[in-house]
Amino acid sequence: MTAIKHTLHRDVFLPNDEQLVAFVHVTKVGRKKKNSFLCAVLSTDITPVQPRVYQVKKADKGESYKKKLSWLLRELRTVDGKSTNKETAEFDLHFEKIFKWSASSVAEKESFLSTLWKLSQRYLIQKADFVNVPRHLLQEVSRPTERVTQAADDIEVLQEDYQALSSKEESDLDQLMSECQAAISNAEVFSENLSKQLSVLDGANIHSIMGSEDQVLNLMRLLDDGINQAESIEGKLESYDNILQNVKEQMEVMKDKDTLIKVRNTNHQKLLEELDNVVTQLDLDTRHLKALQDGELSTPNGIYECTAAALALHKCVNINIHPALTKMAAVEEQQKKFTKFAAGFAKRLAHHLNNLFIHQGNEMGETLSRQAAEYKLTPHHTHRPHHTRHRDLTPYADLMAWLKAADSKTFTDLSKVYTESLSKLYKKEVLDFIEFSKQRLTTIPDRVKLGAQAASMLSGSSTSLQRFEASRKRSGSMQSVDSATVSFHGSDADIASRHFFDQVLDKLLSELEPFCLAEQDFCVRFFHLIGDPMKDEKEQVNEEEVETGDIWMPRKEIPVIERQINEEVRKMMGELFTNLEEELEGFIFYADKLDGFYSMYMLVRMSQHVNNAQDAGSFLSVTFASCLVKIKRNFDKFVQNQIAAIEDYKVQKKSRCGIIGFVHNFGEFANQAESIFKGSDRHTHLDKSYSALVKVVYQQIDRVSTEHGKTPREVVMLENFHHMFSVLSQLKIPCLDGDRKEAKQVYQDNLSVYTTNLLGRPLEKIQVFFEGVESKIASGVKPEEVGYQLAFSKQELRKVIKEYSGKEVKKGLDHVYKKVEKHLCEEENLLQVVWFSMQEEFIKQIKHYEDLINKCYPDSGISLSFSVTDVLQFFSEIAQAH
């Protein structure tokens, strides 16, 4: 235990000028594995000396110790020894909370508790209570009056410790051991030498003492005198100590009182500051009270004064103070007073604004009706009165913000009055505007008619405006009765009408957008539909900047960028414009009924307005988006009607087929659609329609080619697929690139089949002869030995060739040319293409025959009666003749 005590004192406390007095090895009750030491320590570097209690534990790594917890002994409230009769190692120390310990032995526990008792009695004024501690451990400790006589005993008890060698003692010991060489190797010799030296020194001391007896007697007398003087000084010191002890106790009491006085003064200062803050915040200027009670709400200066008063009242009602202060009687009384003022002013403000809303609604209705009757103004010329109304109501915006925060029910009722008084007016304006746009579509303006007539005359078209008007009454379709029927999809009058519709639609949407957004922006600012109206309030009224005079200048507004429109805004706008979506849908249905092509114009225009909207969640954007969905459905229905018309096409069997009507119309449809959708982000919808239309066009071409009896199937296929290939190549639509390649392949395949079938076997006997030659070669006969076969001799070959002179060949080719001319239509201009294909096929056959003659009948001098040059001349002469 002594070694542990020495280690703790040296490593833990000595570096901090602390003296270890006692320690006990403990564990917390219930935790047997976590060991530590409780140490009683005196801090010698502080005056007066302060006793402390430390909990010391071993470090996580290594054998060193560290302090874990520390308490001043004066913080100790109670020491509980658990029992006075029964021996137990457990005890409790009550500091700020109770710590329960179990010592390694009862003796260590009792020694530690006894030391705590002595330190408490010696150094503390307010001592801890020792309960359930045996009486023999609580010994009396000397008071200051007995300190001289018993100090040595107490220090010995409290500071019993292991004393290490001083540096001088260590040096002397080293010198002594160096004088004796056997000090380390032979301890007995070293001990014997030390004993001899000690005997010699003792004898010398005795002789010296005996020789100085007189000096010893004098020394004894001096010692007696010193003792007497010391006792006299000690008596004086005891009296001084008593005096100082009393002074110490009084100074400690004074110190505690001074601390309490400082705390009290600080609390008083804070209380005064808080009360001053409360009084300042709850103080409402008398001119504000007067404005709330009697302020004028119809003049600019009166509105300004009422606004300043309302904002000041709002600050008083919503002061930021401690919740406990709100329970003060004075604060409650003042708050009731402010609540009464707020209720009275809210009622007066609501009454004024209610009358103002109703009056403005009635006055605007009469003004607009009078202007429409006198000047024949269209609805989109009526925006100015709304701007005037917004300007007149804007000064009340801050008061509406105050009203929304102070009385939400009254604010809601006012909002309803506003929407009810203006919804009828807006309903009539929207209805008139939509009806006006419908009327513009019903009758084509003269300038559009004249433009269509001029275009028809320049293009040589026989289409009249009467036929155009008749065609507009039916939905646009790609179906034609036959190829000679004029298609109204691409007529000049029809295109002019559609461009005019696009202008009317753009005008309609462009007029509605600022019309609705102006009202929406006003409602957001006036009714404070976004955010907390008072929390995000614009700059408060600065009373020092109020301009004198009769004119009040409104405060500069902070612009709101990229507002996020919430559901409350859309709800209010829906109550104001109750029929906007319904009327727009009616206009869409009406336009779609006039011409199915209008759905494409509406799809593009409406998409532009939806995408260009600044607020994607605004009422108008949502309304346009809803209409856009219906327009998309109409467009899909229009495409389905086109598909149905193509599928219902009836084959005309009395004349040659030529380019089928729906094939011809597809090109016009695609060109118009591309011009409409140019630069639009809705082109993907058109691409899907293209794919569906091209697919059904290909299917129906195949059907018509099979059902048509007048024109060969291959001719119908090659002409119409060639036309589709030309159209798709001209359009250069990426999504139809695969269909373009398919059209080219089908056209080429049918051209090859038609050429082969129509050309047939113009040199039939020669063809039969050489087929036999090829069969012999295939059976294994060498080419040069074929001429020795009786059926394929040179004489037989000359006989066959003699039957086909150049004149007969030209006659047969002329007959073929007439057939081709009869089958093909002039519109597609494929006659020369087919004739050239036949020329290549015929020359190919002739070259094949010449190769067989050279191969099987070498050096025979046999050749056809005409050459390739003759054939080329035959084809050229026949083409020029026709």
Side-chain angles (χ1 to χ4, degrees), residues 20-66:
L20 178 61
V21 178
F23 76 99
V24 60
H25 185 261
V26 296
T27 58
K28 286 187 177 180
V29 176
R31 299 183 182 179
K32 298 298 183 182
K33 294 184 178 181
K34 295 187 177 181
N35 302 325
S36 59
F37 297 96
L38 287 180
C39 302
V41 177
L42 289 176
S43 298
T44 58
D45 61 334
I46 302 175
T47 305
V49 176
Q50 290 187 355
R52 293 176 177 268
V53 178
Y54 288 101
Q55 181 188 4
V56 179
K57 295 184 68 176
K58 272 191 175 183
D60 295 336
K61 295 181 179 180
E63 298 297 327
S64 60
Y65 294 90
K66 65 177 182 178

Side-chain angles (χ1 to χ4, degrees), residues 486-715:
V486 176
S487 171
F488 293 98
H489 284 79
S491 65
D492 297 327
D494 203 3
I495 295 175
S497 174
R498 289 166 186 165
H499 283 306
F500 177 71
F501 169 76
D502 186 39
Q503 296 174 4
V504 173
L505 177 64
D506 187 44
K507 183 70 172 176
L508 170 64
L509 299 179
S510 299
E511 290 287 345
L512 281 177
E513 196 164 9
F515 182 59
C516 294
L517 291 180
E519 181 62 33
Q520 176 179 280
D521 185 62
F522 170 76
C523 290
V524 169
R525 290 184 290 107
F526 186 75
F527 291 99
H528 302 274
L529 300 179
I530 298 177
D532 189 345
M534 302 306 292
K535 181 178 180 181
D536 297 329
E537 187 66 36
K538 291 171 282 187
E539 306 227 352
Q540 301 295 327
V541 176
N542 190 347
E543 297 176 355
E544 297 179 358
E545 297 178 359
V546 176
E547 297 195 15
T548 59
D550 297 333
I551 299 178
W552 169 77
M553 299 300 294
R555 288 174 287 139
K556 184 178 180 181
E557 297 180 358
I558 299 176
V560 182
I561 302 174
E562 297 181 354
R563 283 199 194 95
Q564 182 181 1
I565 306 302
N566 56 18
E567 193 66 32
E568 189 176 359
V569 178
R570 290 194 291 270
K571 179 182 178 183
M572 188 168 192
M573 292 297 294
E575 293 173 354
L576 285 171
F577 297 91
T578 54
N579 65 329
L580 178 59
E581 184 173 355
E582 178 183 356
E583 293 299 330
L584 280 176
E585 291 177 1
F587 178 81
I588 293 168
F589 176 76
Y590 177 79
D592 189 65
K593 190 175 181 182
L594 289 178
D595 190 347
F597 267 83
Y598 288 170
S599 62
M600 290 195 288
Y601 287 95
M602 290 189 287
L603 182 62
V604 173
R605 285 296 180 188
M606 191 66 77
S607 298
Q608 290 177 353
H609 284 270
V610 170
N611 295 335
N612 295 335
Q614 294 181 354
D615 300 317
S618 65
F619 166 76
L620 191 63
S621 296
V622 173
T623 303
F624 282 175
S626 177
C627 293
L628 183 61
V629 173
K630 294 178 175 60
I631 292 172
K632 177 61 173 61
R633 292 173 182 170
N634 289 344
F635 174 70
D636 294 339
K637 183 179 178 182
F638 170 69
V639 174
Q640 290 301 320
N641 290 338
Q642 304 304 310
I643 293 175
I646 295 172
E647 292 175 344
D648 294 340
Y649 178 81
K650 295 181 179 179
V651 180
Q652 305 296 324
K653 301 180 179 180
K654 295 181 180 181
S655 59
R656 63 182 176 184
C657 183
I659 304 301
I660 306 173
F662 57 77
V663 175
H664 188 275
N665 289 340
F666 174 80
E668 297 180 356
F669 169 82
N671 283 317
Q672 291 188 45
E674 285 298 309
S675 65
I676 296 172
F677 281 84
K678 184 177 181 180
S680 174
D681 60 345
R682 291 284 174 176
H683 206 286
T684 53
H685 297 293
L686 184 62
D687 291 343
K688 295 179 182 178
S689 303
Y690 279 151
S691 300
L693 285 170
V694 170
K695 181 179 180 181
V696 73
V697 166
Y698 285 1
Q699 292 174 351
Q700 296 308 309
I701 291 175
D702 185 70
R703 177 180 68 84
V704 172
S705 67
T706 303
E707 296 179 1
H708 203 287
K710 191 75 174 177
T711 306
R713 181 179 185 279
E714 292 78 10
V715 174

Side-chain angles (χ1 to χ4, degrees), residues 48-87:
V49 176
Q50 290 187 355
R52 293 176 177 268
V53 178
Y54 288 101
Q55 181 188 4
V56 179
K57 295 184 68 176
K58 272 191 175 183
D60 295 336
K61 295 181 179 180
E63 298 297 327
S64 60
Y65 294 90
K66 65 177 182 178
K67 298 176 182 177
K68 183 180 180 184
L69 296 174
S70 171
W71 305 274
L72 289 172
L73 188 60
R74 67 167 178 261
E75 297 176 1
L76 183 62
R77 301 289 179 262
T78 305
V79 177
D80 188 356
K82 295 298 184 180
S83 176
T84 56
N85 301 322
K86 183 179 178 181
E87 291 186 350

Side-chain angles (χ1 to χ4, degrees), residues 361-415:
N362 296 335
E363 185 179 11
M364 282 189 60
E366 295 174 0
T367 302
L368 295 177
S369 299
R370 184 171 61 255
Q371 289 179 348
E374 294 178 359
Y375 305 108
K376 307 296 183 182
L377 293 179
T378 56
H380 57 281
H381 291 152
T382 60
H383 295 172
R384 180 59 59 181
H386 289 288
H387 174 72
T388 304
R389 176 175 58 82
H390 293 165
R391 184 194 62 195
D392 294 341
L393 289 178
T394 298
Y396 296 97
D398 290 341
L399 289 176
M400 288 297 292
W402 171 84
L403 184 63
K404 185 175 184 179
D407 191 346
S408 59
K409 183 178 182 302
T410 303
F411 175 84
T412 303
D413 294 339
L414 265 181
S415 302

Side-chain angles (χ1 to χ4, degrees), residues 95 146 451 625 650 656 859:
F95 290 100
E146 304 170 354
K650 295 181 179 179
R656 63 182 176 184
D859 302 327

Side-chain angles (χ1 to χ4, degrees), residues 114-221:
S114 176
T115 301
L116 291 181
W117 165 262
K118 292 176 182 179
L119 291 174
S120 177
Q121 295 298 315
R122 185 181 181 92
Y123 293 104
L124 300 181
I125 297 175
Q126 295 182 351
K127 305 173 181 60
D129 295 331
F130 285 76
V131 297
N132 300 323
V133 179
R135 299 292 300 176
H136 68 276
L137 299 179
L138 307 180
Q139 299 177 2
E140 288 293 332
V141 178
S142 61
R143 300 300 300 164
T145 55
E146 304 170 354
R147 189 166 300 167
V148 175
T149 57
Q150 298 183 3
D153 296 337
D154 292 340
I155 294 299
E156 183 180 358
V157 171
L158 294 175
Q159 299 184 1
E160 179 183 356
D161 196 2
Y162 172 81
Q163 298 296 327
L165 293 176
S166 64
S167 58
K168 186 176 184 307
E169 291 173 341
E170 290 181 357
S171 62
D172 293 341
L173 181 60
D174 290 339
Q175 182 179 1
L176 179 63
M177 295 179 68
S178 63
E179 292 176 356
C180 183
Q181 298 180 353
I184 298 176
S185 61
N186 194 340
E188 291 181 359
V189 175
F190 179 65
S191 176
E192 184 178 352
N193 291 335
L194 291 178
S195 297
K196 290 179 180 180
Q197 292 179 9
L198 182 59
S199 299
V200 173
L201 292 174
D202 287 340
N205 287 336
I206 291 173
H207 286 293
S208 177
I209 290 172
M210 291 178 65
S212 57
E213 183 176 357
D214 294 337
Q215 295 179 357
V216 171
L217 292 175
N218 291 332
L219 177 60
M220 294 299 293
R221 283 196 298 269

